[in-house]
């Protein structure tokens, strides 16, 4: 995947220093060093499991200023009482254990605390949690598949996926149906473990989904996340990565297609708190229709102890029609000069008529040419999934979105 890989060291240094954006692109971001840290990459309140530690947001706060609070159905102010049903089906190889546990289970919360009021509300409101464990050194031949289908109403949840040392697994989380959903998901990787997570948000148009994803990456472990967001009225996801030891790697990929009236928000934080770790972030989105709104916040924090860090983040957005809006904000905060590389890039552009004309001049109908351009924009990220059935489904979903816009 050429665009998502780390650039050469000299290019990364240019990015850190705020080099010029590509022609025709718009960029945004902020950088701070140790003596001038602006806490741009950190929430305004300290992480906590207690809802009372977070004031009710009013939309003026930095972490809430893009979110339509009036469309969260009460998840942000405590008025959303659990009243719904979520049908959950888990398919896993025999060596994987699946447990339903109480709130007092010591495995809950190890990957990180809630960082906003909705996540704290979710942690305070679930009745039972699910813990999925892959034993030490197990290499799964088939993926773990978790299907969550909303059947209306408000639901809260908490799930932990834990890999023992040197285990390897692929996990697919599939969200469908109608729900007002707030949840916390934890990924705990033992030393040398490898986990790939594919999280698909394919909700009905009326759904609301807010979720915090915490990954704790062990020594020399590898974590890859692919987040795909299509459905829902409002989707607000907050993936976060911390490292439990040196040598860890994290790759965070994302694909979103924001349609008329939808609000899709992805807020990432990679917290480099251990030395010699690597992270690579690449999110791409396409938008069409009046009132389509996509928000991408990419925060990378390289702490003083994280010498030898190699980090890069990228966001690209393709605006297909008038009336759509993108807010893309990469933030990079560095507290040590002893790093291998760090940088970021963000660009938003219109669908180029020249590309369409080129294909049409070679006998390809306009609708098919438009589909090819958008497919090509997303193709490299879709390939990161590595599961043919999921990839084919998502490409078909992209085609369906484009056909609906033409109709």
């Amino acid at each position: 995947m050429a665009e998502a890989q780390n650039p050469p060291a000299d290019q990364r240094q240019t990015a850190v220093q705020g080099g010029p954006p590509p022609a025709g692109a718009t960029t945004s971001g902020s950088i701070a060093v140790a003596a001038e840290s602006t806490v741009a990459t950190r929430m305004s309140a300290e992480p906590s499991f207690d809802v009372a530690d977070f004031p009710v947001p009013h939309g003026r706060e930095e972490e809430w200023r893009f979110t339509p609070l009036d469309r969260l159905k009460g998840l942000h102010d405590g008025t959303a009482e659990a009243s719904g049903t979520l049908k959950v089906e888990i398919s896993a190889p025999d060596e994987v254990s699946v447990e339903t546990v109480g709130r007092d289970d010591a495995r809950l919360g190890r990957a990180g605390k809630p960082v906003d009021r909705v996540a704290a509300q979710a942690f305070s409101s679930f009745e039972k949690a699910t813990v999925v464990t892959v034993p030490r050194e197990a290499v799964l031949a088939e993926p773990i598949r978790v299907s969550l289908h909303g059947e209306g109403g408000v639901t809260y949840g908490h799930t932990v996926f834990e890999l023992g040392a040197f285990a390897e697994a692929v996990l697919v989380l599939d969200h469908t149906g109608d729900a007002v959903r707030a949840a916390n998901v934890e990924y705990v990787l033992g030393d040398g473990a490898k986990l790939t997570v594919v999280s698909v948000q394919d909700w009905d148009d009326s759904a609301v989904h807010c979720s915090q994803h915490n990954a704790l990456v062990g020594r020399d472990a590898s974590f890859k996340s692919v987040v795909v967001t299509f459905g829902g009225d409002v989707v607000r996801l907050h993936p976060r990565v911390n490292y439990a030891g040196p040598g860890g790697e994290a790759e965070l990929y994302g694909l979103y297609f924001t349609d008329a009236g939808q609000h899709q928000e992805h807020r990432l934080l990679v917290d480099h708190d251990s030395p010699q770790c690597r992270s690579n972030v690449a999110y791409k989105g396409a938008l069409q229709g009046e009132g389509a709104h996509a928000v991408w916040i990419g925060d990378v924090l390289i702490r003083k102890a994280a010498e030898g860090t190699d980090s890069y983040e990228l966001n690209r957005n393709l605006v297909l029609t008038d009336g759509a809006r993108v807010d893309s904000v990469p933030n990079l905060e560095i507290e040590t000069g002893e790093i291998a590389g760090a940088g970021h890039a963000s660009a938003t552009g219109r669908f180029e008529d020249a590309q369409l004309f080129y294909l049409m001049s070679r006998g390809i109908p306009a609708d098919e040419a438009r589909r090819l351009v958008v497919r090509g924009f997303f193709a490299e990220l879709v390939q990161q999934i590595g599961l043919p059935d999921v990839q084919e489904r998502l490409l078909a979903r992209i085609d369906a979105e484009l056909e609906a816009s033409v109709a």
Side-chain angles (χ1 to χ4, degrees), residues 38-99:
T38 61
V39 300
T41 62
R42 311 178 200 185
M43 296 292 98
S44 60
E46 290 294 325
S48 174
F49 293 112
D50 190 349
V51 179
D53 290 336
F54 300 94
V56 175
H58 298 286
R60 296 182 296 274
E61 303 84 356
E62 174 60 31
E63 64 270 32
W64 292 105
R65 66 188 178 100
F66 296 117
T67 309
L69 298 177
D70 58 338
R71 292 162 59 184
L72 291 183
K73 304 292 182 65
L75 291 178
H76 67 295
D77 60 13
T79 60
E81 298 182 2
S83 59
T85 302
L86 191 76
K87 184 179 179 181
V88 180
E89 296 181 355
I90 301 178
S91 172
D94 293 340
E95 56 264 53
V96 177
S97 70
V98 179
E99 306 169 67

Side-chain angles (χ1 to χ4, degrees), residues 209-278:
H209 181 200
C210 297
S211 185
Q212 181 175 318
H213 300 177
N214 291 323
L216 182 61
V217 181
R219 183 186 185 99
D220 297 324
S222 298
F223 174 70
K224 180 164 78 169
S225 165
V226 184
V227 172
V228 181
T229 302
F230 286 111
D233 178 52
V234 176
V235 174
R236 188 180 194 266
L237 304 182
H238 195 154
R240 298 171 64 87
V241 175
N242 286 88
Y243 298 87
E249 296 186 355
E251 297 178 287
L252 305 180
Y253 300 108
L255 181 161
Y256 48 94
F257 200 118
T258 314
D259 215 339
Q262 287 184 309
H263 178 93
Q264 297 175 348
E265 185 169 343
H266 301 86
R267 309 182 67 93
L268 292 76
L269 172 62
V270 181
D271 188 346
H272 281 278
D273 46 5
S274 295
Q276 307 299 323
C277 292
R278 188 181 74 88

Side-chain angles (χ1 to χ4, degrees), residues 141-353:
E142 297 293 332
I144 303 169
R145 296 179 184 266
V146 180
S147 172
L148 303 100
H149 183 79
E151 298 180 337
V154 178
T155 64
Y156 296 98
H158 194 101
T159 309
V160 177
F161 298 94
E162 182 171 3
L163 271 68
F166 307 106
E168 298 183 18
V170 175
L171 167 66
V172 179
L173 299 175
D174 196 4
H175 302 86
T176 59
D178 180 33
V180 176
R181 174 74 170 171
N184 291 289
V185 183
E186 299 184 63
Y187 309 110
V188 181
L189 282 67
D191 294 347
K194 295 181 179 180
L195 175 63
T196 296
V197 178
V198 181
S199 178
V200 181
Q201 285 62 238
D202 197 10
W203 297 102
D204 293 350
D205 290 342
S206 56
V208 176
H209 181 200
C210 297
S211 185
Q212 181 175 318
H213 300 177
N214 291 323
L216 182 61
V217 181
R219 183 186 185 99
D220 297 324
S222 298
F223 174 70
K224 180 164 78 169
S225 165
V226 184
V227 172
V228 181
T229 302
F230 286 111
D233 178 52
V234 176
V235 174
R236 188 180 194 266
L237 304 182
H238 195 154
R240 298 171 64 87
V241 175
N242 286 88
Y243 298 87
E249 296 186 355
E251 297 178 287
L252 305 180
Y253 300 108
L255 181 161
Y256 48 94
F257 200 118
T258 314
D259 215 339
Q262 287 184 309
H263 178 93
Q264 297 175 348
E265 185 169 343
H266 301 86
R267 309 182 67 93
L268 292 76
L269 172 62
V270 181
D271 188 346
H272 281 278
D273 46 5
S274 295
Q276 307 299 323
C277 292
R278 188 181 74 88
S279 68
N280 187 40
V281 176
Y283 270 59
K284 287 186 176 184
L287 299 89
Q288 65 180 13
E290 188 68 31
H293 187 195
V295 178
W296 181 85
I297 310 295
D299 293 341
V300 175
L301 171 60
I302 303 175
R303 297 182 184 270
K304 185 176 181 179
E307 296 182 353
T309 291
D310 192 0
S311 175
Y312 192 75
E313 59 175 345
L314 172 147
N315 180 229
R316 293 283 186 262
N317 295 283
L318 181 61
V319 179
L320 303 177
T321 68
D322 292 335
R325 171 186 168 185
V326 177
D327 290 289
S328 178
V329 186
N331 296 302
L332 177 59
E333 185 173 342
I334 306 172
E335 297 178 349
T336 174
E338 301 297 325
I339 60 174
H344 60 209
S346 170
T348 296
R350 294 291 300 262
F351 186 90
E352 295 187 11
D353 292 336

